[in-house]
Amino acid sequence: MCAWTATAEAHPNIAFIKYWGNRDHEARIPSNGSLSMNLAGLVTRTTVTFRPDLTADRLVLHGREVEGPALARVSKVLSLVRAWSGLTWHADVRSENNFPTGAGIASSASAFAALAVAAAAAAGLDLAPQDLSRLARWGSGSASRSVPGGFVEWLPGTGDEDSYAISIAPPEHWALMDCVALVSTDHKAVGSSQGHRLAEKSPFQAVRVADAPRRLDVCRDAILKRDFEALAEVVELDCHMMHAVMQTSSPRLLYWEPATVTVMQAVRRWRQEGLPVAYTIDAGPNVHVLCPQGAQEEVASRLRALPGVQDVLTAGPGGPARVVA
Amino acid sequence: MCAWTATAEAHPNIAFIKYWGNRDHEARIPSNGSLSMNLAGLVTRTTVTFRPDLTADRLVLHGREVEGPALARVSKVLSLVRAWSGLTWHADVRSENNFPTGAGIASSASAFAALAVAAAAAAGLDLAPQDLSRLARWGSGSASRSVPGGFVEWLPGTGDEDSYAISIAPPEHWALMDCVALVSTDHKAVGSSQGHRLAEKSPFQAVRVADAPRRLDVCRDAILKRDFEALAEVVELDCHMMHAVMQTSSPRLLYWEPATVTVMQAVRRWRQEGLPVAYTIDAGPNVHVLCPQGAQEEVASRLRALPGVQDVLTAGPGGPARVVA
């Protein structure tokens, strides 16, 4: 290897069973297991270069140098790679997304998955998949789920060693489509890392966490059987359970905008009329509308016609994070 | 008395601590206590006339004869009055509201409070206030709270005899204003009586009920001390706890419309800017925006300027249900 450099790509993911709240905020050991699908076509591409001449890590996002908390999160992952590899150099990190950042499309998931995979490769580490997932988790909890491919479950574990994500089915298993109705591309007022700390302040979080293994069983089963109806029910319930926790924490978090409700009410009406659709919403106002392949053009066209919907991105199941150069 | 007739008026009320779910659906014994303010200016006026020539009870709303479930609910209250008075005649009931029906302004509360008071008077019954509240409760749970005046607490009790509402402070105690932002005057798809039966299907209802005595204490204390800041916090939390239960019951109930979120987000912003405002939402899309007297013109004017707000009704604390003729 002539240079300590590598480039990796990773997809964001949409959680069907949500991650909200930590048992350990530092190591991001989650309060409950979660389950998601990677989103093909939406990509973060990250290049990590370890260099002997750097006195500190550098982060360049979309060509602009970034410091402060974002750089500190990146450095935490890089420091783990240095500890595991014995390498002592600092790194230059350059990253780009092909989709809007910070509006509920989990850009931190693809960002830290790509970072973990690129940094490990650049440092010459040959890590097992679950160790790459653990590494990504230190930067962003949901990033642990963007490391494996297809349909992914994050086993919550009890500590750093056993808290990682695994693939429960490859992308080819089920051509499920996610039509993301963008109702805002503004940066959200309260980021997820801060929000996770508020979860325990809701009177509903304990119940949500205690019931999570049941919802995970129902969701995993629905995916393995390709049962859209069963998936729709549990995904919408889980979405509302997370937003109920958010809306009753202290301070209360209301991530929805008017058009978020427009889309939810429309999806509900369409399903009653027989169209196979279901919605879920991350920590932001955009609505992810799921449907089986074949329905996505009709769904995207209907979504675009709703007031307040600015654009619709459509994605099928995506593969794992991987080194591309 | 030359005719077995009486007319009564009652106000709707806005709940600060909500009623949602019953221990006994038939007698409407609630799962938790609740606390509300009557709304002056909004009035249901009802005339009950017992007549020897009628072969069944008759209900005329706004000049139109009504049968079916609405008449059956009215007859249940009339039958209790007959049982308590010994009177056997059927009754003619005529009722009118001066505000829109069925859109989350608790028209059933004022309707059954006025009915209970008018029917008891028409039958010559001299009931204690708590017995009038019990009587109204058989028609609509929240109607029990529209019988006493001002700021009212419904003591949940364990059965018919001890489940009634009492006034905790008269209307003159605190000039609190409710600016009701009407975002829809459509009839709601799922009425409250049906919704109460779904509450127990939410994984959050048990927690909501268990925590209710604490919220009631905080709310009662805030009212007695005229502490708007404390009232605002507990009212908004309680509102979101009820809607969380609704949104996670099976089937899920989403009473909100896009403009409901518009108003919630605006109220939150205004409070951060220093305007004393808080919101609460009943089983419907309209948003009740509370403020101390003096701020209501500014609040109503700001609300009217929001997209999706069709009208704003403003009401201060109202008196008890009473016989007017």
Side-chain angles (χ1 to χ4, degrees), chain A residues 48-238:
Chain A
V48 175
T49 308
F50 287 99
R51 283 167 35 179
D53 58 322
L54 290 175
T55 56
D57 294 320
R58 283 188 68 201
L59 173 61
V60 179
L61 295 182
H62 291 274
R64 283 175 54 178
E65 180 138 14
V66 173
E67 298 186 328
L71 174 61
R73 275 169 85 175
V74 165
S75 276
K76 179 181 277 182
V77 173
L78 294 170
S79 294
L80 282 168
V81 169
R82 282 187 282 261
W84 293 0
S85 66
L87 196 68
T88 56
W89 299 342
H90 289 286
D92 178 279
V93 176
R94 281 157 201 272
S95 188
E96 291 193 351
N97 299 324
N98 71 350
F99 58 94
T101 303
I105 309 191
S107 58
S108 67
S110 51
F112 284 98
L115 175 71
V117 169
L125 279 175
D126 186 22
L127 296 182
Q130 64 263 38
D131 291 329
L132 286 170
S133 175
R134 282 172 58 208
L135 184 58
R137 193 202 69 230
W138 283 90
S140 162
S142 56
S144 69
R145 294 192 313 249
S146 279
V147 171
F151 299 86
V152 173
E153 183 169 352
W154 180 7
L155 310 171
T158 55
D160 175 42
E161 306 248 321
D162 60 353
S163 186
Y164 54 81
I166 57 169
S167 177
I168 61 167
E172 309 75 50
H173 168 71
W174 192 11
L176 202 61
M177 304 301 294
D178 180 8
C179 304
V180 192
L182 297 175
V183 304
S184 169
T185 52
D186 290 348
H187 248 280
K188 53 198 177 193
V190 177
S192 298
S193 292
Q194 199 182 337
H196 283 290
R197 292 180 186 266
L198 300 180
E200 60 212 74
K201 307 240 182 178
S202 162
F204 294 145
Q205 171 71 348
V207 172
R208 184 188 154 274
V209 167
D211 183 61
R214 184 194 69 79
R215 298 194 304 281
L216 284 163
D217 286 349
V218 172
C219 185
R220 193 187 310 109
D221 206 50
I223 289 169
L224 296 179
K225 292 178 176 158
R226 304 183 191 91
D227 180 345
F228 187 81
E229 196 62 28
L231 183 74
E233 274 304 308
V234 75
V235 164
E236 291 191 1
L237 172 64
D238 189 84

Side-chain angles (χ1 to χ4, degrees), chain A residues 25 29 42 52 68 103-104 136 154 159 182 210 212 242 245 256 274 285 299 304 320:
Chain A
H25 290 293
I29 310 303
L42 309 180
W154 180 7
L182 297 175
M242 179 177 75
V245 166
W256 301 349
V299 170
R304 272 184 238 276

Side-chain angles (χ1 to χ4, degrees), chain A residues 11-24:
Chain A
H11 303 297
N13 65 73
I14 176 63
F16 298 157
I17 303 296
K18 305 293 190 190
Y19 157 51
W20 195 246
N22 287 318
R23 293 170 56 176
D24 177 338

